[in-house]
Amino acid sequence: MALYEVQTFSDPENKTVHEQKHVPFIQAPEKVKKGEYFQVSIKMGEGIDHPMEPGHFIQYVDLYADYYHLERVNFTPETKAEAVLTIKLEKSCTLRAFELCNLHGQWEGTFDIIVEE
Ligand SMILES: [Fe+2]
């Protein structure tokens, strides 16, 4: 597999440790009010930390609401691969986080969110 292909869980019912370390783990309310700020937490990864050392680390994570880019957070080998962002939404969407591991390429994690009037 080429590194420029976006990867995610090949089988969500049977996640490998390699996948769990890389797929961005998004936590947010399942329902929010239109236009009201709320917090989104993104971690690499789910229940297991990705290494953060000079030879192997997460370089950044980008957060999208569907296809609309919201924010990028950059990391270094000295930081933790996690971020808490404050955002607001106008309509229901899928939050999509893309991270880049310097050795293992791009990975996508998603979280569906309902926006109420
Ligand atoms: Fe990695």
Side-chain angles (χ1 to χ4, degrees):
M1 176 187 315
L3 286 181
Y4 49 79
E5 289 176 1
V6 179
Q7 303 161 83
T8 190
F9 295 115
S10 51
D11 175 7
E13 302 301 313
N14 195 6
K15 301 172 180 176
T16 68
V17 171
H18 186 68
E19 291 170 340
Q20 281 174 294
K21 278 195 280 193
H22 285 95
V23 173
F25 179 51
I26 301 173
Q27 290 175 290
E30 289 180 4
K31 284 184 188 176
V32 298
K33 286 219 184 303
K34 180 178 174 175
E36 280 192 9
Y37 285 100
F38 62 96
Q39 289 193 325
V40 179
S41 152
I42 310 170
K43 290 181 181 171
M44 277 61 68
E46 182 178 350
I48 178 166
D49 291 341
H50 184 279
M52 292 299 274
E53 54 198 40
H56 185 200
F57 67 104
I58 305 294
Q59 295 179 279
Y60 61 79
V61 64
D62 279 321
L63 181 65
Y64 288 76
D66 290 331
Y67 295 93
Y68 185 86
H69 184 250
L70 298 175
E71 200 159 336
R72 170 172 289 192
V73 180
N74 291 299
F75 303 112
T76 70
E78 292 76 30
T79 56
K80 289 197 89 174
E82 58 184 56
V84 177
L85 304 175
T86 302
I87 66 169
K88 63 180 178 179
L89 296 170
E90 297 301 315
K91 60 185 172 88
S92 299
C93 67
T94 299
L95 293 178
R96 306 163 73 217
F98 293 87
E99 65 95 337
L100 182 68
C101 167
N102 73 316
L103 290 185
H104 301 114
Q106 274 200 84
W107 296 77
E108 179 183 15
T110 62
F111 186 96
D112 294 329
I113 195 156
I114 295 166
V115 175
E116 297 177 321
E117 292 288 326

